[in-house]
Amino acid sequence: MLQTRHASLNPDLLDTGTPPIPQAQGWARAYDGRVGPLIDLSQAVPGTPPPDELLQRLSAAAASPDSTRYGAITGDLDLREAYAAEIGRFYGAAFAPTEIAITSGCNQAYVVTMMALARAGDNVLLPTPWYFNHEMTLTMLGVEPRPLPCDPAAGFVPDIATAEALIDARTRAIVLVTPNNPTGAIYPPETISAFAELCARRGLWLVLDETYRDFLPAGVARSHEVFAASGWQDSVIGLYSFSKAYAVPGWRLGAITAGERVIAQIGKVIDCVQISPVRAGQAAITWGIDGIRDWREVNRAEINARAALFRDAMAPLNDWRVLAAGAYFAYLAHPFAATPAAEVVRRLVEERGVLALPGPYFGPGQEQHLRIAIANVGADRISGLSERLRGFSL
């Protein structure tokens, strides 16, 4: 009798945790509506659709035979030129289209960047709490996600001295996310500049994920001055997503900003994983950069207002502490020190109809915390949080 053996899978992939949001959404399915509609604060998705004219541009582009053909590996030139001009206005620096690559979302931008920077056995510093997909990507690539603990008392802003002490011969990059997912923390420009200087001095890459930069508080013109400095191309890579500011997460469009030589190498990876980004969406976003600018500013103000409203809603609940809030997110300390965060979340959604994410989804040392995503719920739902949480006990 023929004996067979099970073919094995990549052990680094097997060691990678499963995507956590579906688990949390599974808990929500057990909620019976006893205290009103579910308040879903789990996933960072836009709560409103994009303007109709942007959708019309997508429809027109999709109907064009040109959109059915392969495009440039790093994205259509029209979008790269428009995006280079857009970030030039934002950062106060000049960018060339050859310093831009368009990707299928910012998650893909991160994956292809990490594949270009590190190989199995290397390590990358990730401030904790971290964005779980960042850790998952490194783990499945065999790259160590090295935690850089961020102190809640410092607003979850990473510390330069702590980071430098973690660097060794296998370190290839430091990743910063600002405004931050999951905490909502907005890193001061001087902190980002200090990390850029550290990376340049130590021969590392600083990878800046600025998916939520469009939601900086009113009056903040730009997030940092790093791209205005000469020589950034040798040690800095920027990542971005069109999903949030343009309310089009289903279109899967992101961008990488890097030196021309780096983009050329990243292009090899992109060619193997996507060949070219979806072209109809590129055409619509090319128009939308200027075409819905006013709408984006209104959306920015609305999201910032929701963050303030969330703080106000939580203020009467002295045992729930808002540790940080900004852009799409807030990070809470829950009052049940002896209870795992996952159990707090499960009971909270089943009994009070409020779904958050447990802190341990975002790295070690987060058992006391919950992450809140505020963009996909209306002001009325946020205002109702005080009543939902009041008196909740385990």
Side-chain angles (χ1 to χ4, degrees):
M1 183 176 181
L2 179 65
Q3 291 187 332
T4 61
R5 297 173 58 190
H6 291 293
S8 61
L9 296 174
N10 178 354
D12 290 329
L13 178 62
L14 296 176
D15 285 343
T16 301
T18 56
I21 288 180
Q23 180 186 42
Q25 291 173 337
W27 294 330
R29 286 192 286 273
Y31 175 58
D32 59 11
R34 69 183 69 178
V35 295
L38 177 72
I39 300 178
D40 186 351
L41 305 171
S42 65
Q43 190 170 21
V45 295
T48 56
D52 286 343
E53 192 167 2
L54 187 64
L55 296 175
Q56 291 164 11
R57 295 277 173 164
L58 175 70
S59 178
S64 169
D66 286 343
S67 292
T68 67
R69 302 185 180 100
Y70 287 129
I73 291 171
T74 55
D76 288 348
L77 180 59
D78 286 350
L79 179 53
R80 287 186 286 124
E81 288 179 336
Y83 183 68
E86 172 74 350
I87 61 175
R89 286 189 290 267
F90 181 79
Y91 293 114
F95 296 87
T98 50
E99 296 173 325
I100 307 296
I102 304 302
T103 59
S104 295
C106 193
N107 264 9
Q108 189 190 77
Y110 178 82
V111 171
V112 299
T113 296
M114 289 300 116
M115 291 179 70
L117 301 187
R119 60 183 176 180
D122 291 339
N123 67 69
V124 171
L125 271 57
L126 296 183
T128 55
W130 56 38
Y131 173 45
F132 46 74
N133 282 149
H134 285 177
E135 179 272 332
M136 290 171 64
T137 294
L138 295 176
T139 299
M140 69 179 64
L141 291 175
V143 176
E144 177 196 352
R146 182 163 291 183
L148 169 56
C150 295
D151 188 353
F156 294 103
V157 174
D159 176 68
I160 284 287
T162 304
E164 187 151 24
L166 293 170
I167 294 170
D168 61 22
R170 297 187 297 113
T171 306
R172 295 292 173 262
I174 301 174
V175 177
L176 299 182
V177 183
T178 180
N180 187 258
N181 177 6
T183 66
I186 298 172
Y187 298 167
E190 56 269 23
T191 295
I192 300 172
S193 294
F195 271 92
E197 188 278 331
L198 170 64
C199 288
R201 175 165 51 84
R202 297 295 297 267
L204 307 176
W205 290 99
L206 176 61
V207 179
L208 287 173
D209 183 335
E210 295 189 272
T211 291
Y212 300 94
R213 69 164 181 243
D214 300 273
F215 303 99
L216 291 169
V220 178
R222 61 182 59 128
S223 49
H224 57 80
E225 303 291 335
V226 168
F227 286 123
S230 61
W232 67 265
Q233 293 91 340
D234 295 323
S235 58
V236 179
I237 298 174
L239 309 181
Y240 178 71
S241 170
F242 295 100
S243 297
K244 306 305 191 295
Y246 296 78
V248 291
W251 293 9
R252 308 312 305 134
L253 287 171
I256 301 171
T257 302
E260 187 172 348
R261 72 176 181 89
V262 180
I263 292 295
Q265 297 303 314
I266 287 175
K268 297 178 185 178
V269 186
I270 294 175
D271 187 44
C272 291
V273 298
Q274 74 171 15
I275 300 179
S276 63
V278 175
R279 302 194 68 200
Q282 290 187 76
I285 290 294
T286 300
W287 171 84
I289 285 175
D290 283 324
I292 66 167
R293 188 178 300 278
D294 291 345
W295 181 90
R296 289 190 284 130
E297 280 301 309
V298 171
N299 190 37
R300 168 183 172 173
E302 170 63 21
I303 295 300
N304 282 323
R306 290 186 193 181
L309 184 62
F310 177 79
R311 285 187 179 274
D312 290 343
M314 299 301 296
L317 305 170
N318 295 326
D319 50 350
W320 295 80
R321 292 184 295 122
V322 180
L323 302 175
Y328 266 44
F329 303 106
Y331 213 61
L332 296 182
H334 68 76
F336 309 105
T339 305
E343 179 64 11
V344 174
V345 169
R346 187 185 67 80
R347 292 277 299 276
L348 190 62
V349 69
E350 288 182 3
E351 298 175 19
R352 299 299 176 97
V354 176
L355 178 62
L357 292 183
Y361 283 3
F362 304 95
Q366 305 303 313
E367 201 66 73
Q368 193 64 33
H369 301 143
L370 306 182
R371 192 202 74 173
I372 302 296
I374 58 177
N376 62 329
V377 291
D380 58 332
R381 299 282 177 90
I382 294 174
S383 297
L385 283 173
S386 292
E387 186 61 31
R388 291 282 185 101
L389 296 179
R390 187 173 290 112
F392 175 72
S393 63
L394 295 177

